[in-house]
Amino acid sequence: MVGVCCGCIAKPASVQPRKTYNILIGQLFEGEPIGTDAAIDSSLRRKIQKLQEYVQANPAKIPKVSRRLMRRIKATLRQPGNNLGFVKVAVHAYVYMLAKSTDDISSYSPSFFAREVVSGPDAVVSALLKDIHIEMRTLGAELLAVFTKAQSQVDNKLDAIESQVPQVRWWSCIWGSWLPVTAKVSCCYQSRHKSG
């Protein structure tokens, strides 16, 4: 009888350790989705803050975190139903991480998120701006405004932002209640465009 080396057999997938960012992102989407008009509660804000702290400590993992959030947004937009609140949570996670990237002690910059947020072929902002729900278009405009505001003089992604601004302005002509968000996007874009 030939003996089997126990070290040669791989552990089953259920025993393999899960990656930390997968756990943190999964916690954001546990339970029932929030309403698109509801505020983000304190427990959800704390989970978003934990994700940002992880990204701060591990900037090399930002592309994976950003791709995971982007995939969640895209999947939810394809089959909206009653779970559009998950898109709101993912966008607020992006917004919080982008806002924290401008801190002096930040170990990452907004350009780490550029591919998934504005410049990639499946950019989150363009998908949100093309959605049929006004709440999703508003979230897209807010995300674009935060991304634009977070840009520094050195780390400028105006070419990716330029393609989004006309679409935001076009929607603002159709939806009058959208004007404050559009003004914010236009002001951020114009101040960065003049200084860049």
Side-chain angles (χ1 to χ4, degrees):
M1 181 168 181
V2 179
V4 176
C5 176
C6 293
C8 299
I9 300 171
K11 294 179 184 177
S14 61
V15 182
Q16 298 282 349
R18 285 184 65 198
K19 295 180 173 95
T20 306
Y21 66 88
N22 281 337
I23 294 170
L24 293 172
I25 292 173
Q27 289 174 351
L28 293 177
F29 305 108
E30 290 177 346
E32 292 292 316
I34 63 169
T36 54
D37 55 343
I40 303 280
D41 65 348
S42 61
S43 66
L44 204 47
R45 268 184 287 186
R46 178 63 190 135
K47 291 174 185 177
I48 291 172
Q49 187 178 359
K50 277 186 183 179
L51 180 64
Q52 189 277 328
E53 289 168 0
Y54 173 78
V55 165
Q56 181 71 27
N58 303 293
K61 300 289 185 187
I62 291 175
K64 293 181 179 188
V65 169
S66 187
R67 270 193 309 272
R68 184 85 191 267
L69 288 172
M70 178 192 69
R71 287 182 191 140
R72 183 60 188 231
I73 290 171
K74 294 288 219 171
T76 305
L77 289 177
R78 277 193 295 272
Q79 297 180 342
N82 293 330
N83 58 355
L84 287 176
F86 287 146
V87 174
K88 182 176 181 175
V89 171
V91 168
H92 279 279
Y94 270 129
V95 166
Y96 187 77
M97 289 187 286
L98 285 167
K100 287 294 186 177
S101 71
T102 59
D103 290 349
D104 291 335
I105 60 169
S106 179
S107 62
Y108 63 93
S109 72
S111 67
F112 281 69
F113 299 98
R115 186 169 193 278
E116 286 80 16
V117 175
V118 292
S119 63
D122 293 331
V124 170
V125 169
S126 64
L128 289 170
L129 291 175
K130 291 175 186 172
D131 194 72
I132 60 171
H133 299 93
I134 187 70
E135 298 91 354
M136 298 302 107
R137 291 193 298 262
T138 304
L139 286 173
E142 288 175 8
L143 183 56
L144 181 61
V146 169
F147 184 81
T148 305
K149 191 174 181 182
Q151 297 298 304
S152 69
Q153 298 299 323
V154 177
D155 189 34
N156 213 321
K157 297 285 182 190
L158 283 180
D159 55 334
I161 295 168
E162 274 184 76
S163 64
Q164 308 296 332
V165 172
Q167 194 170 14
V168 173
R169 287 184 178 161
W170 183 79
W171 279 112
S172 71
C173 292
I174 294 173
W175 300 94
S177 63
W178 229 40
L179 290 175
V181 174
T182 307
K184 189 189 312 182
V185 170
S186 295
C187 289
C188 290
Y189 170 73
Q190 289 170 355
S191 66
R192 297 296 179 194
H193 189 60
K194 288 177 186 173
S195 62

